[in-house]
Structures are given as structure tokens and as C-alpha cells.
């Protein structure tokens, strides 16, 4: 569940269809998709699908003052049981001779005894968040680590970061850290603490102490070997989870794609309305007898246009990010299940070796005992985290759907009231005209 309680300012009035990226794409030498290393962060967006770069084009802009968000965030309003509060805000663009990237301010307030201070303020770039996620996965292979927004780079628009894009990314990073803070195990991870408290040079030094290239390659080789061997004794519970996630992944991906299409179509409708209304106003100059009707129609269209804009903001704020986050979660869950199976497969291979007497019996017996403990810990961790994740997912989905329902009701009620008012006024005027014509 999202811990963010900051309420942004008024929504945008809208920008030309397609936004900045579409304008660039229409020019000669249109942007092309490139893949860079993590250090080359020319542009980062929420989705590999470029349509999400404009998903927040009707969402409110972030406050421009560096201290505005932390002042508006009501730490006192949070549940008393919470002892760790995190804000991600104040994005800054950095341009060097070799790269362009964005850093975000991360402000932490805490009452925990293991922290040396009660408040910290550091700046982090996207690759720092990637490092943290990687370290959490290494330390807790069968826990469900919250997703990060994907990285997507467009050549040719490096210097044109839109406020909407930056705000979308900021919210995703804010949610990532707060989901970790709310997790009963991840919140006490040492790398998480270092991420929140260490200055840039300290974090850079700490990163170098991580596992080396050959260690990571060894882990990858073992994972591939385990997947080839397969799992003989997977508990039924994890088979059920795997089946559930396959269905969930299919449905959530479909919902995500259709919702994005609906948003884009709604956006096109909004721009058509913006052009449609003023035409009636201009027509008034040549139709004196229809002036009141034309002005009434123009006013109704304008009100419906504003209602449509508000409805779109609701979609981009309350539905699209939730659906896409769980698209990413579905990928993470499948990865967690594979890592659990990897541990199980390693145990199975040792048991087979013991039965075939391919190695020293005493040594294998000890290794099997250690692996049995490892499998049990992995199973218990995933069981507990699965129940927690599923409960959070269901809460987030219900909340998102309720928000959509309320948003739609407000939209249709407002449009209905607008047109009913116009219809009533025009009907009265028409009756008055008929009465005057009937008089001698």
C-alpha cells in the first residue's frame, strides 16, 4: 500500500496531442530506441512502452521548491507503529562530459535505535536504486522485492525531460522505498540502511565491497543448471502459486494494455472537445437568432471538457500506475519461484548423488542437511511473503477500482447535470417563443 500522503496542486490544462515525444518522432531523424549500460542514464521512464511516458500528461506537476514536499508531508498523521518515514522528491538533472542523468533527494525520518541520527538527507540516482534492489534480491532470494520502474532511453530528446515524466518516475521510486520500509524483513536490511544514510562517496565505496563478477557468474551458471535439471519434489503449494501467477500475469498484462489504450483514446477525445466548443462560439457572429443556443452548447462542451480532463487525471493517478506496478510484480514473483526451485533442485541433486554413491557419504550427508535447512527457510520466507503480497495486491486493486468507479460517477453526473441544465433552459425559451407566436 502506498504511503504517500502529499497532495499535488491543480492539474495541467493539457498539451498538444502526443506530447513532446510524439512531436520529436514526427520530425526527420525520429528518436530510436537504444540500449545503454546502467551508467548511461540519458532518460528514464516508467515503462518500456512509450505510451506511458505520456501517461501522466494530465497529472499535477510536482512542487518546484526543494523543501515544498517535505514540508507538506504530514509525518504526524502516519500510524503510531511506524518508525521509518521516507520521501523522494526534488529531482535534479546533471550533465557531464559523458552522460546526463537525474538525481532525487531522499529524506528519511526515523526513531529507530540502530540509526545514528533521526533524520537524513541524501541524493540518489536511478542506478543506486537498481543496486539496492539487486542487493535485496541477493540477501533475500525468496522474498518478494518491490519493483522498480523500467529504464528506457530515447536518443535525440536527452535535454527535454518533461515535468510529467519526472513526476511519474519520482512517485515510482518513492513507492519502491516505502514498500521496503513497510516490509517486516526488508526494512531491517543493512544495505537499505546504508542507501538511506550514506553520502554519495560512502555509498560508492560500499558498492565496491559487493560480490565480484565471477561470483555473480557462478550464481548464474548454477541457476541455469538447476533450471535444466528441473525440480522433483516441489511442494504442491508452490505449484499452486506458480499456476496462480501464470493466470494473474496474463490478466494483469491485458488490463494494463487495454487501460493504456483507453487513456490514449480518452486523450484524443479531450483534444477534439477543446476544438469543438469554440467553433460554436465563433458561429454566433453570423447567426443572431441562434446566439443563445450556440453559446449554451459551447459552455456545455467546455464544462464536459474540464470534466474529461479531471477523469483522465484520475486514470493516470489512480489506475495506470497500480496496474503497471503489478505487471512488474508478476515478473518478480516468477523470478522468486525460480530461485526457490533452484535451491530445491540443488538439494535434489545432492540426494541423487548420495543414493548413487558418487562422492563421500559423510560429506554429502552434511551438505544435504545444510540444504534441507536452506530449503525450509526459503519455503517459509516465500509462504509468509506470498500471503502478505496477495493481501496487499487485493487491497491495492480494490482501492484502484473504487477510485475509478467514483471518478466515473463524478464525470457522468457532472456531464448529465450540464446538459440537463442546457436542455431545460432551451425548452423554456422555445415554449415562450411558441406562446408569443400564438398571440394575436
Amino acid at each position: 500500500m502506498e504511503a504517500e500522503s502529499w497532495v499535488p496542486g491543480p492539474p495541467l490544462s493539457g498539451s498538444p496531442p502526443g506530447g513532446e515525444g510524439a512531436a520529436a518522432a514526427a520530425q526527420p531523424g525520429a528518436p530510436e530506441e537504444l540500449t545503454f549500460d546502467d551508467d548511461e542514464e540519458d532518460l528514464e521512464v516508467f515503462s518500456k512502452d512509450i505510451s506511458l511516458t505520456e501517461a501522466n500528461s494530465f497529472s499535477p506537476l510536482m512542487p518546484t521548491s526543494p523543501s515544498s514536499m517535505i514540508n507538506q508531508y504530514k509525518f504526524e498523521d502516519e500510524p503510531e507503529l511506524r518508525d521509518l518515514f521516507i520521501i523522494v522528491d526534488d529531482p535534479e538533472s546533471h550533465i557531464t562530459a559523458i552522460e546526463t542523468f537525474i538525481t532525487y533527494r531522499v529524506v528519511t525520518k526515523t526513531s529507530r535505535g540502530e540509526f545514528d541520527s533521526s533524520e537524513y538527507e541524501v541524493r540518489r540516482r536511478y542506478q543506486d536504486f537498481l543496486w539496492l534492489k539487486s542487493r535485496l534480491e541477493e540477501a533475500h532470494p525468496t522474498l518478494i522485492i518491490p519493483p522498480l520502474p523500467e529504464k528506457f532511453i530515447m536518443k535525440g530528446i536527452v535535454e527535454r525531460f518533461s515535468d510529467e515524466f519526472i513526476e511519474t518516475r519520482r512517485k515510482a521510486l518513492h513507492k519502491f522505498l516505502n514498500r521496503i520500509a513497510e516490509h517486516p524483513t526488508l526494512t531491517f536490511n543493512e544495505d537499505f540502511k546504508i542507501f538511506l544514510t550514506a553520502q554519495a562517496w560512502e555509498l560508492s565505496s560500499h558498492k565496491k565491497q559487493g560480490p565480484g563478477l565471477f561470483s555473480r557468474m557462478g550464481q548464474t551458471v548454477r541457476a541455469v543448471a538447476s533450471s535444466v535439471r528441473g525440480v522433483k519434489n516441489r511442494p504442491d503449494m508452490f505449484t499452486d502459486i506458480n499456476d496462480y501467477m501464470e493466470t494473474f500475469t496474463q490478466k494483469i498484462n491485458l488490463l494494463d494494455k487495454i487501460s493504456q489504450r483507453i487513456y490514449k483514446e480518452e486523450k484524443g477525445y479531450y483534444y477534439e472537445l477543446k476544438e469543438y466548443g469554440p467553433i460554436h462560439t465563433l458561429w454566433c457572429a453570423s447567426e443572431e437568432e441562434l446566439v443563445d443556443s450556440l453559446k449554451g452548447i459551447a459552455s456545455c462542451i467546455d464544462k464536459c471538457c474540464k470534466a474529461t480532463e479531471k477523469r483522465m487525471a484520475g486514470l493516470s493517478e489512480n489506475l495506470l500506475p497500480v496496474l503497471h506496478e503489478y505487471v512488474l510484480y508478476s515478473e518478480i514473483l516468477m523470478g522468486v519461484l525460480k530461485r526457490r526451485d533452484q535451491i530445491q533442485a540443488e538439494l535434489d541433486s545432492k540426494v541423487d548423488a548420495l543414493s548413487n554413491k558418487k562422492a563421500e557419504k559423510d560429506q554429502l550427508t552434511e551438505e544435504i542437511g545444510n540444504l534441507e535447512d536452506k530449503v525450509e527457510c526459503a519455503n517459509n520466507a516465500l509462504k509468509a511473503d506470498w500471503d502478505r503480497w496477495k493481501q496487499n495486491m487485493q487491497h491495492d486493486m480494490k482501492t484502484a477500482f473504487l477510485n475509478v468507479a467514483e471518478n466515473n460517477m463524478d464525470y457522468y453526473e457532472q456531464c448529465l447535470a450540464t446538459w440537463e441544465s442546457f436542455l431545460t433552459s432551451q425548452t423554456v425559451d422555445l415554449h415562450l417563443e411558441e406562446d408569443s407566436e400564438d398571440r394575436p
Side-chain angles (χ1 to χ4, degrees), residues 12-30:
L12 292 173
S13 60
S15 54
E20 193 174 45
Q27 297 174 357

Side-chain angles (χ1 to χ4, degrees), residues 34 54 78 106 132 182 205 255 328 332 384 390 398 434:
L34 300 177
E54 30 179 85
E78 295 292 338
V106 179
L132 173 61
E182 294 167 1
S205 175
L255 277 179
L328 302 180
I332 289 172
K390 197 171 181 181
K398 287 179 181 178
E434 292 175 349

Side-chain angles (χ1 to χ4, degrees), residues 267-331:
K267 187 176 182 180
Y269 174 67
Y270 168 81
Y271 285 118
E272 294 290 351
L273 280 182
K274 287 191 73 173
E275 295 182 10
Y276 189 47
I279 295 175
H280 296 80
T281 304
L282 293 174
W283 194 11
C284 291
S286 58
E287 290 287 349
E288 294 183 3
E289 298 299 325
L290 293 177
V291 168
D292 291 340
S293 296
L294 289 170
K295 286 185 176 180
I297 287 287
S299 176
C300 288
I301 293 174
D302 181 62
K303 291 177 181 178
C304 290
C305 189
K306 291 177 180 177
T308 301
E309 182 180 12
K310 183 179 178 182
R311 183 189 184 197
M312 293 176 62
L315 282 174
S316 64
E317 288 287 324
N318 301 319
L319 182 64
L320 296 182
V322 175
L323 292 178
H324 195 70
E325 182 187 21
Y326 280 96
V327 167
L328 302 180
Y329 257 129
S330 68
E331 298 172 3

